[in-house]
Amino acid sequence: MDNHREAARLDALHQLKLLDTPPSESFDRITRMASQIFGLPIAAVSLTDQDRQWFKSRVGVDHWSIPRDRAPCAAVAESAVPLVVDDLLADPCYAESVLARAGTRFYAGAPLITREGHGLGALCVLGTEPRQASAAEMMALVDLAAMVMAQIELQHAFGRIDPISGLPTRNQFLDDLSDLARDNPGEQRFAIVVDFARGEQISRIARALGGGRVEELIRDAARALRAELGTGRETYHVGPAQFAFLSPRCPDSDPDLRSLQASLERLRATSASRFATNAALGVRPFKLGEVPGEDVLRGAASAAHEAREMANGIAVYSPAKDEAHRRQYGLLRDFSAALEAADQLRMVYQPRIDLATGRCVGAEALLRWRHPLLGDVSPGEFIPVIEQTSLARAATQRVLDIALDQLAEWHRAGLALNLSLNLSAANLTENDLVQRVQLGLLKRNLPAERLELELTESAMMEQPEQALGILNALAGAGVSLAIDDFGTGHSSLAYLQRLPVKIVKIDQAFVKNLTAGASPDHVLVESMVSLSHRLGFRVVAEGIETAEAAIALRQIGCQEGQGYLYGRPMSADAFGAWLTSSHPRASAAA
Ligand code: C2E
Ligand code: MG
Ligand code: MG
């Protein structure tokens, strides 16, 4: 037996992933027909594995496999031609075989041959009496064997060809890539993902125009791509509206890519289904065998995502950006667990000072997350990530629960402090936010005036009309509202004036380097404060780090301030200690 051929044959068999799978009616039907045609009780679809004949389908046989040694089916698989043995006992090859010893006398088998010519095994019939096979019987057996192969190929193609585009799927891409890597390890390749529309755009089209239009769009895109790439290059359908192919050349110098982009653009303009967006192309350079297939695809898809922001719609994979995405994704995934865990999330409190008297009038509650693996993660990093998702609601609820408990404890201890909490834009879409805040106050017997809710300008501007309704309801309930990071957004003063907001917090960027003398910062802060006062706002400065800045702010007329100069955000215990040591007057105030 030719070792190389046999290795290739076994590889073909194993790739089909048929061995040791459960029986299936689609094969059994054919086996039964073979047994009927010959009028014999035993028939089987028998696959020739390394050292066994394994039966995918069997009639009249109890066991799943027999040894390969001296099995006639193995001879059929190896030679890939039909075989008839009239009497096994009379045949020197098979007289001592397992089959013959078990009482089999007659054997007829037709080979199961793949397109590439590998014999996988045989469709066989067995009899307990010596017999001959007629030409008609053998022709039928060969036909039935071909039907078995068609069934095998059909099953194998399932999940490998996308039913809409007719293109090979992501699974096929991964398999082909691993074959390529085996044959050409270390060679440079470029994976290109062409993204025709974002997921949410696809669902928007489906909602507006029906799923049929989405399928039409995808078929158009697939056809265009295939026409552009020609028959030489395989195109794969790897995501809802995402296609991938491999290129051996560096795409920057690859004129194909630009012409591809141009022709996709033409297609968009002329397509009957009109693409919702421009196509974006992501390129992932890699060496065959050195990057797992999944990573190759993910990298190219992430570059395609980046490409949406590029003027030419093409982006090359950047490990740094990918790493950042992965970290964000990881934070998002782990934040749910953090909400469940008892020890990952906590609040810290930063004192807020009345600048005229130096008294501590309250605190801003700030969220802290100690991730079990990453350690402390700054809210500046995780809040923007979770804010985009439904987790914003649970996060704010957790903050409310912890912070209001703390406020209640301070009040019980006789400390008449105010407490500020930060809200996210997404919270302003929660219809029950007002009730939840009110309930939290009521349960703890806290006056609403003690609570202040901070929102950035941009959060208020995100959905101005809906925000206005909720903000009015909160203000109506007696809660104070503050504009956080004032000066960094693009809010219109006309809109801000319509809001039931009493306080603006000037962003630390303007405050940090503030000095007494005339400087651009000084001019800016001075005019922000005077404008705010004229519009009726109370002004708080954030990020006061130096005594000089504090003096300047007091002179300008800013009423309150926060910053490292007075105190960093601290645990509740540390805050209590800070209060009694540096602000005995505040503690005594109650
Ligand atoms: P923010 O609400 O503007 O909070 C002020 C930030 O400035 C805090 O950062 C605080 O630690 C920091 N800070 C205070 N004084 C100084 C100072 O003198 N110098 C400097 N350099 N920094 C100072 P932190 O705690 O890292 O929070 C960052 C942002 O994350 C917050 O900005 C807020 O937008 C958001 N955030 C924090 N906690 C929560 C929360 O519970 N919910 C929501 N939605 N957002 C939160
Ligand atoms: Mg704040
Ligand atoms: Mg701020």
Side-chain angles (χ1 to χ4, degrees), residues 71-89:
C73 284
V76 175
E78 287 159 22
S79 65
V81 292
L83 171 72
V84 180
V85 185
D86 295 351
D87 186 356
L88 292 180
L89 284 183

Side-chain angles (χ1 to χ4, degrees), residues 364 422 454 456 484-486 505-508 542:
E364 176 173 3
N422 295 281
E454 301 183 4
T456 61
D484 204 353
D485 303 349
F486 183 65
K505 297 185 79 175
I506 296 181
D507 193 71
Q508 45 184 320
E542 290 190 289

Side-chain angles (χ1 to χ4, degrees), residues 350 352 364-366 420-423 452-456 482-485 505 542 562:
Q350 183 175 37
R352 193 147 118 196
E364 176 173 3
L366 295 156
S420 282
L421 301 183
N422 295 281
L423 293 186
E452 180 180 292
L453 298 176
E454 301 183 4
L455 279 147
T456 61
I483 299 172
D484 204 353
D485 303 349
K505 297 185 79 175
E542 290 190 289
Q562 253 176 267

Side-chain angles (χ1 to χ4, degrees), residues 190-194 225 228-229 233 243-265 279-285 303 307 312-317:
F190 301 85
I192 292 114
V193 160
V194 184
L225 203 54
E228 187 61 31
L229 292 175
R233 251 193 286 202
F243 302 90
F245 60 94
L246 290 171
S247 168
R249 274 193 303 265
C250 173
D252 277 339
S253 63
D254 188 348
D256 297 5
L257 221 56
R258 298 211 191 291
S259 92
L260 174 66
Q261 180 65 295
S263 83
L264 293 176
E265 184 52 36
L281 272 68
V283 182
R284 165 70 152 114
N312 67 353
I314 304 177
V316 179
Y317 168 80

